[in-house]
Amino acid sequence: MSQRVLLASNEVHIILHRLACQLIENHGFFENTVLIGLQPRGAFVAERLSKILKEDYGVQNLKLGLLDITFFRDDFRRTVNPLEANKTSIDFIVEDKNVVFIDDVLYTGRSIRAALTAIQSFGRPANVELLTLIDRRFSRHLPIQPNYRGRQVDAINEERVVVHWEENDAEDAVYLINK
């Protein structure tokens, strides 16, 4: 097994700030926009972006939620081990709001399809966008593309993209791992 660094800590930091600026450009002061991090790994990206938007760019009243999609996935019954659900934490209605789904890696698109189904429990959004730190563009099973992408990666199916976060893994970095 070999691994290669795709993004180091400073590159992750720069990309997150660029993505925050793109969100501001398209959503202004977020009066009609909510951010939804997809559990578990998208939560790190969403929380980090929320912090940047509030502290570095002065965005007030930003609504951030976390959505667990475990039991909305079309493959949740196909695993040998029982799945562990994460917590959904959305204390607002998404009816007629612009929803920005946030995830760390866009791979097959199945997580996003599950999120589209799961979010309907909280209302019908006016618009849904996708922000992803890493876009694995040659692996899609569904016709889903991000509106905002940090970095596009050409990884073949035997390779894995692994995102590390300071809060969880003691470093900010993205690796390409070859099995």
Side-chain angles (χ1 to χ4, degrees):
M1 182 169 85
S2 66
Q3 77 178 23
R4 170 171 67 103
V5 176
L6 291 176
L7 297 173
S9 177
N10 62 332
E11 294 168 304
V12 171
H13 178 79
I14 290 167
I15 285 171
L16 289 174
H17 277 269
R18 176 176 51 80
L19 291 169
C21 288
Q22 289 174 343
L23 286 170
I24 291 169
E25 186 177 310
N26 290 331
H27 296 282
F29 293 104
F30 295 84
E31 54 275 337
N32 201 37
T33 300
V34 298
L35 304 180
I36 305 284
L38 302 185
Q39 290 278 32
R41 307 293 296 182
F44 294 111
V45 184
E47 288 167 351
R48 191 74 70 85
L49 276 171
S50 176
K51 183 178 179 187
I52 290 169
L53 287 165
K54 289 175 182 176
E55 294 178 5
D56 295 351
Y57 297 104
V59 174
Q60 305 291 320
N61 302 318
L62 180 65
K63 289 185 173 54
L64 171 65
L66 303 177
L67 181 63
D68 178 44
I69 58 166
T70 303
F71 299 111
F72 293 92
R73 292 184 58 92
D74 61 2
D75 59 355
F76 87 93
R77 289 185 184 96
R78 296 176 183 224
T79 62
V80 175
N81 299 326
L83 294 177
E84 284 188 36
N86 293 285
K87 183 178 177 187
T88 290
S89 174
I90 299 176
D91 61 356
F92 47 84
I93 301 296
V94 301
E95 188 75 29
D96 295 325
K97 298 285 188 197
N98 296 313
V99 171
V100 180
F101 285 141
I102 300 174
D103 208 357
D104 63 344
V105 178
L106 175 58
Y107 183 31
T108 63
R110 293 186 185 284
S111 293
I112 307 309
R113 191 214 50 80
L116 289 166
T117 302
I119 198 66
Q120 293 176 22
S121 301
F122 298 91
R124 183 179 178 195
N127 185 42
V128 177
E129 295 179 333
L130 173 60
L131 179 148
T132 184
L133 182 66
I134 302 294
D135 175 12
R136 286 187 58 156
R137 68 179 180 161
F138 293 135
S139 307
R140 216 74 80 237
H141 294 176
L142 300 169
I144 293 174
Q145 298 301 320
N147 301 85
Y148 311 93
R149 76 171 50 91
R151 175 72 53 90
Q152 198 167 53
V153 175
D154 297 336
I156 56 176
N157 286 333
E158 293 81 36
E159 296 174 319
R160 288 183 44 231
V161 175
V162 177
V163 180
H164 286 194
W165 293 103
E166 181 75 36
E167 300 89 312
N168 196 50
D169 307 299
E171 68 172 343
D172 288 340
V174 179
Y175 295 96
L176 182 65
I177 298 175
N178 197 342
K179 295 178 184 179

